[in-house]
Amino acid sequence: YKDTVFIIAGAGNGGENLDSCHFWPASFAGYPKLQHVISVAALDEHTRDRASFSNYGQEVLVAAPGENIKVLIPGEDETTYMDGTSFSAPWVALRVAHLLYINRKDISPAEMNECIQRITKKDGTHLQIKYGSMKKTAEWFHSDSIRNPCNP
């Protein structure tokens, strides 16, 4: 891997504490030499706490929307709603791509982790993850939220 390639991994949907068991590749986020891995829990749609099905623990860095996500059914022209950390990870991947774009330079994994920590908040009382949750996408690109959290 290259230092500026980031792996965004869903934390898993077993409701497990990853401090006592592992779910790969999300658990790689707990290893200091593998700071380019960012593990993502799912948020409950209504309470903004961690979704009950989502894995959690100090190896899980952030949480993002992952409940009641509207998706297209493959091979059909219909949509449905689904849950899972696999839907949370793209929210974070979008934000990481945005941070890389506005910085227009290589960001080390340690710097990216600091940026992510700055843009998350512990808004739920039962997140049980390392940093906090990310705001919805629209909030990132409007008003003063476009500022660069990597260079405060």
mmCIF file of all heavy atoms in Angstrom, residues 55-72:
data_model
loop_
_atom_site.group_PDB
_atom_site.id
_atom_site.type_symbol
_atom_site.label_atom_id
_atom_site.label_comp_id
_atom_site.label_asym_id
_atom_site.label_seq_id
_atom_site.Cartn_x
_atom_site.Cartn_y
_atom_site.Cartn_z
ATOM 1 N N ASN A 55 -21.090 -3.012 14.712
ATOM 2 C CA ASN A 55 -19.942 -3.270 15.573
ATOM 3 C C ASN A 55 -19.412 -1.943 16.089
ATOM 4 O O ASN A 55 -19.647 -0.886 15.496
ATOM 5 C CB ASN A 55 -18.855 -4.029 14.803
ATOM 6 C CG ASN A 55 -19.230 -5.478 14.522
ATOM 7 O OD1 ASN A 55 -20.191 -5.995 15.068
ATOM 8 N ND2 ASN A 55 -18.476 -6.119 13.650
ATOM 9 N N TYR A 56 -18.654 -1.994 17.166
ATOM 10 C CA TYR A 56 -18.170 -0.781 17.831
ATOM 11 C C TYR A 56 -16.848 -1.068 18.532
ATOM 12 O O TYR A 56 -16.332 -2.177 18.449
ATOM 13 C CB TYR A 56 -19.214 -0.269 18.829
ATOM 14 C CG TYR A 56 -19.558 -1.270 19.906
ATOM 15 C CD1 TYR A 56 -18.927 -1.243 21.143
ATOM 16 C CD2 TYR A 56 -20.498 -2.270 19.681
ATOM 17 C CE1 TYR A 56 -19.227 -2.166 22.130
ATOM 18 C CE2 TYR A 56 -20.816 -3.204 20.653
ATOM 19 C CZ TYR A 56 -20.170 -3.147 21.880
ATOM 20 O OH TYR A 56 -20.463 -4.067 22.841
ATOM 21 N N GLY A 57 -16.297 -0.090 19.234
ATOM 22 C CA GLY A 57 -15.060 -0.236 19.986
ATOM 23 C C GLY A 57 -14.023 0.789 19.562
ATOM 24 O O GLY A 57 -14.252 1.597 18.656
ATOM 25 N N GLN A 58 -12.879 0.768 20.214
ATOM 26 C CA GLN A 58 -11.824 1.743 19.945
ATOM 27 C C GLN A 58 -11.157 1.526 18.592
ATOM 28 O O GLN A 58 -10.464 2.401 18.100
ATOM 29 C CB GLN A 58 -10.786 1.734 21.066
ATOM 30 C CG GLN A 58 -11.310 2.307 22.366
ATOM 31 C CD GLN A 58 -11.765 3.750 22.199
ATOM 32 O OE1 GLN A 58 -10.997 4.632 21.843
ATOM 33 N NE2 GLN A 58 -13.045 3.997 22.444
ATOM 34 N N GLU A 59 -11.343 0.378 17.965
ATOM 35 C CA GLU A 59 -10.831 0.156 16.616
ATOM 36 C C GLU A 59 -11.727 0.811 15.567
ATOM 37 O O GLU A 59 -11.338 0.946 14.421
ATOM 38 C CB GLU A 59 -10.714 -1.343 16.326
ATOM 39 C CG GLU A 59 -9.644 -2.033 17.140
ATOM 40 C CD GLU A 59 -9.524 -3.505 16.831
ATOM 41 O OE1 GLU A 59 -10.369 -4.044 16.097
ATOM 42 O OE2 GLU A 59 -8.581 -4.128 17.332
ATOM 43 N N VAL A 60 -12.932 1.186 15.968
ATOM 44 C CA VAL A 60 -13.872 1.837 15.061
ATOM 45 C C VAL A 60 -13.714 3.341 15.243
ATOM 46 O O VAL A 60 -13.933 3.866 16.328
ATOM 47 C CB VAL A 60 -15.325 1.396 15.345
ATOM 48 C CG1 VAL A 60 -16.274 2.044 14.359
ATOM 49 C CG2 VAL A 60 -15.435 -0.123 15.291
ATOM 50 N N LEU A 61 -13.310 4.037 14.182
ATOM 51 C CA LEU A 61 -12.950 5.447 14.313
ATOM 52 C C LEU A 61 -14.142 6.390 14.250
ATOM 53 O O LEU A 61 -14.215 7.343 15.013
ATOM 54 C CB LEU A 61 -11.936 5.833 13.234
ATOM 55 C CG LEU A 61 -10.624 5.051 13.250
ATOM 56 C CD1 LEU A 61 -9.693 5.581 12.176
ATOM 57 C CD2 LEU A 61 -9.964 5.104 14.608
ATOM 58 N N VAL A 62 -15.058 6.175 13.317
ATOM 59 C CA VAL A 62 -16.164 7.113 13.113
ATOM 60 C C VAL A 62 -17.458 6.355 12.849
ATOM 61 O O VAL A 62 -17.447 5.162 12.573
ATOM 62 C CB VAL A 62 -15.897 8.087 11.940
ATOM 63 C CG1 VAL A 62 -14.687 8.955 12.205
ATOM 64 C CG2 VAL A 62 -15.745 7.342 10.630
ATOM 65 N N ALA A 63 -18.559 7.091 12.925
ATOM 66 C CA ALA A 63 -19.869 6.544 12.560
ATOM 67 C C ALA A 63 -20.491 7.475 11.530
ATOM 68 O O ALA A 63 -20.260 8.685 11.547
ATOM 69 C CB ALA A 63 -20.759 6.433 13.787
ATOM 70 N N ALA A 64 -21.278 6.894 10.648
ATOM 71 C CA ALA A 64 -21.956 7.658 9.604
ATOM 72 C C ALA A 64 -23.311 6.996 9.346
ATOM 73 O O ALA A 64 -23.547 5.862 9.764
ATOM 74 C CB ALA A 64 -21.099 7.684 8.341
ATOM 75 N N PRO A 65 -24.214 7.702 8.658
ATOM 76 C CA PRO A 65 -25.534 7.120 8.402
ATOM 77 C C PRO A 65 -25.421 5.722 7.781
ATOM 78 O O PRO A 65 -24.649 5.500 6.855
ATOM 79 C CB PRO A 65 -26.167 8.110 7.419
ATOM 80 C CG PRO A 65 -25.517 9.415 7.763
ATOM 81 C CD PRO A 65 -24.098 9.057 8.111
ATOM 82 N N GLY A 66 -26.186 4.784 8.337
ATOM 83 C CA GLY A 66 -26.146 3.418 7.837
ATOM 84 C C GLY A 66 -27.452 2.674 8.072
ATOM 85 O O GLY A 66 -27.492 1.461 7.986
ATOM 86 N N GLU A 67 -28.467 3.420 8.386
ATOM 87 C CA GLU A 67 -29.765 2.804 8.651
ATOM 88 C C GLU A 67 -30.815 3.424 7.742
ATOM 89 O O GLU A 67 -30.846 4.637 7.566
ATOM 90 C CB GLU A 67 -30.133 3.035 10.120
ATOM 91 C CG GLU A 67 -31.181 2.101 10.640
ATOM 92 C CD GLU A 67 -31.368 2.235 12.142
ATOM 93 O OE1 GLU A 67 -31.834 3.285 12.590
ATOM 94 O OE2 GLU A 67 -31.038 1.275 12.845
ATOM 95 N N ASN A 68 -31.643 2.572 7.162
ATOM 96 C CA ASN A 68 -32.724 3.022 6.291
ATOM 97 C C ASN A 68 -32.193 3.825 5.095
ATOM 98 O O ASN A 68 -32.698 4.897 4.772
ATOM 99 C CB ASN A 68 -33.751 3.825 7.086
ATOM 100 C CG ASN A 68 -35.118 3.770 6.462
ATOM 101 O OD1 ASN A 68 -35.454 2.829 5.749
ATOM 102 N ND2 ASN A 68 -35.919 4.787 6.710
ATOM 103 N N ILE A 69 -31.170 3.286 4.430
ATOM 104 C CA ILE A 69 -30.534 3.928 3.281
ATOM 105 C C ILE A 69 -31.248 3.470 2.007
ATOM 106 O O ILE A 69 -31.406 2.273 1.761
ATOM 107 C CB ILE A 69 -29.036 3.560 3.200
ATOM 108 C CG1 ILE A 69 -28.316 3.915 4.506
ATOM 109 C CG2 ILE A 69 -28.376 4.223 1.994
ATOM 110 C CD1 ILE A 69 -28.304 5.370 4.866
ATOM 111 N N LYS A 70 -31.676 4.415 1.198
ATOM 112 C CA LYS A 70 -32.375 4.096 -0.047
ATOM 113 C C LYS A 70 -31.365 3.609 -1.075
ATOM 114 O O LYS A 70 -30.378 4.276 -1.365
ATOM 115 C CB LYS A 70 -33.098 5.334 -0.572
ATOM 116 C CG LYS A 70 -34.000 5.061 -1.746
ATOM 117 C CD LYS A 70 -34.774 6.320 -2.128
ATOM 118 C CE LYS A 70 -35.762 6.034 -3.225
ATOM 119 N NZ LYS A 70 -36.552 7.241 -3.549
ATOM 120 N N VAL A 71 -31.626 2.409 -1.622
ATOM 121 C CA VAL A 71 -30.721 1.804 -2.604
ATOM 122 C C VAL A 71 -31.506 1.280 -3.798
ATOM 123 O O VAL A 71 -32.692 0.960 -3.693
ATOM 124 C CB VAL A 71 -29.889 0.658 -1.982
ATOM 125 C CG1 VAL A 71 -28.994 1.163 -0.883
ATOM 126 C CG2 VAL A 71 -30.773 -0.463 -1.483
ATOM 127 N N LEU A 72 -30.823 1.191 -4.919
ATOM 128 C CA LEU A 72 -31.398 0.629 -6.139
ATOM 129 C C LEU A 72 -31.233 -0.886 -6.098
ATOM 130 O O LEU A 72 -30.152 -1.400 -5.794
ATOM 131 C CB LEU A 72 -30.679 1.201 -7.365
ATOM 132 C CG LEU A 72 -31.162 0.755 -8.735
ATOM 133 C CD1 LEU A 72 -32.607 1.224 -8.971
ATOM 134 C CD2 LEU A 72 -30.253 1.313 -9.808
#
